[in-house]
Structures are given as C-alpha cells and as structure tokens.
Amino acid sequence: MKVYGATISPMVRKVLMALEIKGLDYQVEFVIPFNTPEGFEKISPLKKIPALVDGDVSLADSTVICEYLEDRYPETPLYPSDPVLKAKARWFEEYADTVLMKVTAEGLYFERVVKKLMGMETDEEKVQKNLKKNMPKTLDYMESVSPAEGFLVGDSLMMADIAIGSSFINAGYAGFEPDSSKYPNFAAYMQRIKAHPAFQVRMKEDAKFINKE
Ligand SMILES: N[C@@H](CCC(=O)N[C@@H](CS)C(=O)NCC(=O)O)C(=O)O
C-alpha cells in the first residue's frame, strides 16, 4: 500500500497509525499540500493529503481511508462494533476533522510550524485570536468528554482517540499544551494517548522531520 502525504500532517498520521496498529505493510510517498505532483488529482481529487493506493483502489480523505482499512482489514479493530459506541466514535472523528482542524491545525500549527517551514511569516495575531476565542471552548468540550481512565470509546486506543490525539500532538508542535490544572482529565488523557507505542514511533519520526527542515 502507498500513502501519499507528509507524515507530520495530523490527517496523514491518522492513516499511518491505523496501518501500524493493524500491522499492515506500507510505503510513504512524500507529497506536500499546495505543491502536489502532476496528476495527483487522479488519486486525490481535491489535491489534499492523505491519499492511499491499495492495488487498484485509490482513495482520498483520512476518514474514508481509515474506514476502508477497517472494513478491508478488520483484524485489530479501530472502531467499536457496538452501534452506539461506533456512532460515538464517528462523532469524535468528525469533531477532530472539522473543529480541531480549524482550531489546532489551521489557526495554530499551520501558522506557527508549516508557514515557518515554507519560509512564510506567522500571523501571530490570528493565532492569538484563535487561542482566546476558539481554544477555550474546545478544551471545555474535551474536558467534559475525556474519561478519567482508558480511552474515549473503550479500554483501548481507537480511531476516535487517534483523530483527537493527532490534532493536539500538532498543537504541541506549535507550542500549545492543555493546562493540566484547568483541564485535568483531558491533559491526563492526552498523556495516555501519547504513551501509545504507535504514537511514540510517529512522534520520533516527526522530531526528525521538524529538526531536519
Ligand atoms: N478531510 C480531509 C482533509 C485533508 C486536509 O485538509 N489535508 C491538508 C493537510 S493536513 C491539505 O492537504 N491541505 C491542502 C489544501 O487544503 O489544499 C481529510 O480528512 O483527509
């Protein structure tokens, strides 16, 4: 299988985590947004990352790809089988892909990390506005749903945790960590997520990428 994207992207990381936890072989073809290779739209019609090619199947969108991996390679499930828990898991993934994409990625990680890597100037005013206006309600919500123990939809790390965790890991790369005195459950939950061996592997790879660029 071939994953197209930059491994440090929170959306690409969702796919890599799923592949690693499921023990599937894959290669990464390095593609950066806004400067995609010619013909990339044949694999990813909106030219966004990640995209996946598995034999004659080509797919775009992290959630579509992760659901495909789950259906096609069901061993080591990453979504619960119970319909209610599965719906709950999908909600958290949707929340990460939409709200967190704006708050932790576009308004923070993109500004402070990606723009810097691209030789562009950070719009720190935009970041501060985002941190004041959007981040507190996001953290209030995350605190209200974070379990005192275990993970969002069960005892083991699943796609819901991967999506949420991935977004906040990138916020961390942009210098933001949740205040554990204000958000104790969420901060502790994030520590449990980051301790997962597959996240540890990804974060070590990210460190090489950030330090190299
Ligand atoms: N809903 C998509 C979002 C993918 C996405 O926005 N990826 C970003 C990088 S993290 C991108 O490719 N941005 C380039 C663009 O918006 O043109 C997914 O979950 O894969």
Side-chain angles (χ1 to χ4, degrees):
M1 265 184 269
K2 225 176 221 183
V3 180
Y4 293 79
T7 53
I8 200 167
S9 143
M11 301 292 159
V12 175
R13 193 183 299 109
K14 281 173 60 186
V15 173
L16 300 180
M17 287 287 294
L19 288 164
E20 271 168 36
I21 292 174
K22 285 179 176 289
L24 299 167
D25 281 338
Y26 65 92
Q27 291 174 320
V28 177
E29 187 85 18
F30 184 68
V31 173
I32 48 169
F34 311 114
N35 188 18
T36 54
E38 220 181 294
F40 186 57
E41 66 279 3
K42 287 191 191 120
I43 305 171
S44 178
L46 302 180
K47 292 191 175 181
K48 294 188 184 197
I49 57 167
L52 178 93
V53 171
D54 181 17
D56 54 4
V57 179
S58 74
L59 298 167
D61 191 278
S62 62
T63 299
V64 171
I65 295 169
C66 291
E67 288 186 350
Y68 163 79
L69 292 173
E70 181 76 357
D71 293 342
R72 182 128 190 212
Y73 306 100
E75 223 169 287
T76 320
L78 287 173
Y79 293 86
S81 55
D82 174 82
V84 175
L85 287 180
K86 193 171 190 172
K88 203 172 154 191
R90 283 182 167 142
W91 156 251
F92 286 122
E93 192 171 357
E94 171 67 11
Y95 182 78
D97 292 353
T98 54
V99 175
L100 297 185
M101 182 70 177
K102 286 212 176 324
V103 180
T104 61
E106 283 172 25
L108 180 57
Y109 167 74
F110 179 76
E111 284 297 330
R112 283 191 180 163
V113 181
V114 178
K115 274 189 164 180
K116 216 176 192 176
L117 292 174
M118 289 163 68
M120 293 161 72
E121 218 169 288
T122 300
D123 184 346
E124 191 57 32
E125 205 179 308
K126 179 177 169 184
V127 172
Q128 290 306 324
K129 212 169 148 192
N130 177 41
L131 290 178
K132 272 201 194 94
K133 189 169 168 258
N134 304 322
M135 189 59 96
K137 55 187 177 202
T138 306
L139 292 172
D140 285 344
Y141 176 65
M142 284 316 308
E143 179 66 13
S144 76
V145 294
S146 293
E149 284 171 14
F151 296 92
L152 281 171
V153 287
D155 294 336
S156 62
L157 183 105
M158 294 214 161
M159 218 47 232
D161 311 293
I162 293 172
I164 300 275
S166 219
S167 300
F168 275 96
I169 281 174
N170 282 58
Y173 296 156
F176 179 85
E177 294 296 340
D179 178 349
S180 59
S181 62
K182 254 173 132 175
Y183 308 104
N185 277 345
F186 179 55
Y189 162 71
M190 272 308 296
Q191 292 311 318
R192 289 197 293 283
I193 288 184
K194 286 196 215 168
H196 189 281
F199 265 131
Q200 285 289 313
V201 169
R202 297 273 30 104
M203 290 170 75
K204 279 201 184 98
E205 287 296 312
D206 293 346
K208 280 190 225 160
F209 184 80
I210 291 175
N211 296 332
K212 191 174 71 184
E213 290 296 306

